Amino acid sequence: MTHVPTTLLGDGLVVSALGYGAMGLSDVYGPAEERESLATLHHAVDHGVTLIDTADVYGAGENERLVGRLLAERRDEVTVATKFGIALGGSDSGTDAMTTRGDAGYVRSAADASLKRLGIDTIDLYYLHRRDVSVPVEETVGAMAELVRQGKVRHLGLSEVTADELRRAYAVHPIAAVQSEWSLWSRDVERAVVPAAAELGVGFVPYSPLGRGFLTGTLADRSAVSGDWRSGLPRFSGDAFDRNQAVVRAIQGIAAELDATPTQVALAWLRVQGERLGLPVVPIPGTRRAARVDENIRSLEITPDAEQLGLLSELAEGVVGSRSDHDDPDWVSETREDRV
């Protein structure tokens, strides 16, 4: 098994070079079995993965509680990251619609609730999950900075922010990491957000580095996602699903040349791309299976050559469908960045 080295993100935060995204341990991709989920978390930590990523919205809090069971036994071995800012419906809404909240009072209450569910005194990395555009980012980050001063949070992160929002936030308090979708088929962040992070010394934590499973080559037809929310995503819907298989076939070809899997190639590309663009990159692939954790870790042994990297870097141009999974145009940074 490959030894997982450490990486320095921003603000002095040291984590494993590959993290673990826990979202899928809730019922996001169909029913999850808690005992298997917890065993997979332990397996990841056993093999050197220290950064475990969750959020208060995953499983309506149950995901944090599950991670809390891991922390109850292995707190000193884990850098726990969680997120706030997405609220499910409202007290009188009667719906599960997702809205954004970034006001100072909500920041404080959300942090206290996450600490309770996780069963810990301090969150290592606390992210703003989605920007509430009705609230100045300075107000939201100012409230997050107060949590640091109170000892409830160690480091701050931002998810799906623009380059300008990142700079404005950083002027209030150092930012350790930006989290956004970034992969072989989602590269819009490279235009402005990644350069801004590199300029400020902020690390990058790509979520969905495997395209929500599509880039692994394990989703041969639409029936593979018929039981979960991906079936309604633009890149997984209708004709787009079949046309995007061309991207997978190209990755599979290069994987064969490297005696690797498509998963390992996709993760290795992100690592090398981060080195090329001058900033630390720590992907957080998620899985329910221990064997997949091992596969992900072995991506650290893979380095495509210059020709292979060139071919991989062309793939995003042929992707069909938006990366956004939400009707709100402000849900991801790409649309706000395009308006700048």
Side-chain angles (χ1 to χ4, degrees), residues 88-263:
L88 291 175
S91 58
D92 58 356
S93 69
T95 73
D96 290 329
M98 292 189 293
T99 58
T100 55
R101 288 282 302 273
D103 54 281
Y106 186 77
V107 174
R108 291 189 290 269
S109 63
D112 287 341
S114 286
L115 285 166
K116 183 177 181 180
R117 285 189 291 266
L118 290 164
I120 56 177
D121 297 321
T122 306
I123 297 166
D124 297 314
L125 176 57
Y126 199 41
Y127 286 101
L128 170 62
H129 202 167
R130 286 294 190 277
R131 168 86 198 284
D132 179 351
V133 296
S134 70
V135 177
V137 70
E138 291 86 353
E139 176 183 333
T140 305
V141 176
M144 295 168 70
E146 182 61 28
L147 296 173
V148 176
R149 289 189 286 272
Q150 293 171 354
K152 294 181 178 181
V153 169
R154 290 194 175 91
H155 301 275
L156 303 186
L158 304 169
S159 178
E160 290 289 357
V161 291
T162 66
D164 176 68
E165 291 163 353
L166 172 58
R167 291 190 176 95
R168 288 164 54 196
Y170 194 91
V172 176
H173 190 279
I175 303 299
V178 169
Q179 184 173 142
S180 189
E181 184 172 358
W182 187 13
S183 70
L184 279 168
W185 77 348
S186 295
R187 297 183 57 190
D188 57 277
V189 293
E190 293 181 27
R191 295 198 301 268
V193 185
V194 167
E199 168 195 324
L200 296 169
V202 176
F204 211 101
V205 178
Y207 74 79
S208 296
L210 302 174
R212 297 181 172 90
F214 199 97
L215 303 181
T216 66
T218 60
L219 306 178
D221 56 63
R222 285 188 292 276
S223 66
V225 297
S226 61
D228 65 62
W229 66 291
R230 289 175 294 180
S231 60
L233 299 180
R235 294 179 180 178
F236 287 76
S237 302
D239 181 57
F241 187 98
D242 297 325
R243 292 171 64 185
N244 285 330
Q245 292 294 335
V247 175
V248 177
R249 288 192 292 272
I251 299 171
Q252 289 172 325
I254 291 173
E257 294 174 4
L258 291 167
D259 192 23
T261 66
T263 292

Side-chain angles (χ1 to χ4, degrees), residues 21-100:
M23 183 181 77
L25 300 183
S26 298
D27 293 343
V28 178
Y29 300 117
E33 203 283 309
E34 185 170 301
R35 182 178 298 179
E36 180 185 29
S37 295
L38 190 58
T40 300
L41 281 171
H42 277 286
H43 184 85
V45 178
D46 286 343
H47 290 85
V49 176
T50 63
L51 178 62
I52 306 296
D53 181 275
T54 181
D56 60 3
V57 74
Y58 300 159
E62 290 304 315
N63 200 273
E64 285 184 323
R65 292 188 182 94
L66 176 65
V67 172
R69 291 182 60 188
L70 172 77
L71 298 176
E73 299 181 39
R74 312 185 71 166
R75 180 66 183 99
D76 293 343
E77 299 174 74
V78 173
T79 299
V80 62
T82 193
K83 302 181 283 293
F84 77 96
I86 298 177
L88 291 175
S91 58
D92 58 356
S93 69
T95 73
D96 290 329
M98 292 189 293
T99 58
T100 55

Side-chain angles (χ1 to χ4, degrees), residues 8 182 194-204 270-281:
L8 176 65
W182 187 13
V194 167
E199 168 195 324
L200 296 169
V202 176
F204 211 101
L270 265 174
R271 185 187 76 248
V272 175
Q273 189 73 343
E275 293 169 356
R276 190 180 74 81
L277 296 176
L279 78 171
V281 172

